[in-house]
Amino acid sequence: AGNVVATIPTAPGSELRLSFRHSIYRTTVEEVFDVRGDGLQTARLLYAEPRLVEFYGYEAAVYEKGWWVVTPERRSFRALDLRTSPDAFMQISLDSRPIPLKEVVEPGGAVSVAVASCTGENDGR
C-alpha cells in the first residue's frame, strides 16, 4: 500500500542479498547486489544446483563454497519489486543481517526494496 515497513541504515559499498527457493527446482537461489548511492547493482548470482545456471540461460558458472556462481552483466535498479509466496522462503540480507520477508509482508503480498538517502536528523534510524 506504499507504506514503509522497515528502514535499515546502510551505506554505498554494502551488500544486499535476495534469497529464495526456486519455484520449479525447489532449491535455493541468491541474487547479490552492491548497494550504491543511486540504487542497487547486480554483482553475483548463486545457485544451489548447476541446472539452474542453464535454466537462467548462463553458459558457465564457477563452483565456490557449495554454490554455482555466475557473474552477470552489471545492471542497475532503483528498486527491487518483489511478490512473496508462502513456499518461496524469500528473505533479504543486508551486510549479513537476514530479514525474512514473511515478517514484513503477508504471503502473496508485494514489497519494494529500495535505496534512499537518509540525510537529516535521524540519519535513517
Side-chain angles (χ1 to χ4, degrees), residues 82-119:
L82 309 169
R83 173 87 46 201
T84 64
S85 70
D87 59 342
F89 300 104
M90 190 176 288
Q91 81 172 15
I92 59 170
S93 298
L94 184 59
D95 293 330
S96 300
R97 292 176 289 179
I99 304 158
L101 292 185
K102 69 180 181 181
E103 295 176 6
V104 178
V105 64
E106 295 289 323
V111 64
S112 184
V113 177
V115 175
S117 174
C118 293
T119 57

Side-chain angles (χ1 to χ4, degrees), residues 65-76:
K65 300 178 184 174
W67 291 96
W68 292 94
V69 180
V70 172
T71 303
E73 179 180 328
R74 298 273 232 175
R75 292 184 52 207
S76 296

Side-chain angles (χ1 to χ4, degrees), residues 14-77:
S14 296
E15 179 181 273
L16 181 127
R17 288 179 179 246
L18 169 63
S19 175
F20 58 93
R21 182 167 44 180
H22 193 272
S23 62
I24 296 171
Y25 293 115
R26 317 302 290 165
T27 59
T28 304
V29 175
E30 286 196 3
E31 298 179 4
V32 182
F33 300 87
D34 292 329
V35 174
R36 300 168 44 107
D38 60 349
L40 301 165
Q41 187 176 63
T42 54
R44 291 180 318 284
L45 304 171
L46 294 86
Y47 303 108
E49 293 186 29
R51 64 185 172 169
L52 286 165
V53 174
E54 183 178 315
F55 177 84
Y56 284 107
Y58 295 102
E59 294 183 17
V62 177
Y63 190 73
E64 296 177 0
K65 300 178 184 174
W67 291 96
W68 292 94
V69 180
V70 172
T71 303
E73 179 180 328
R74 298 273 232 175
R75 292 184 52 207
S76 296
F77 300 90

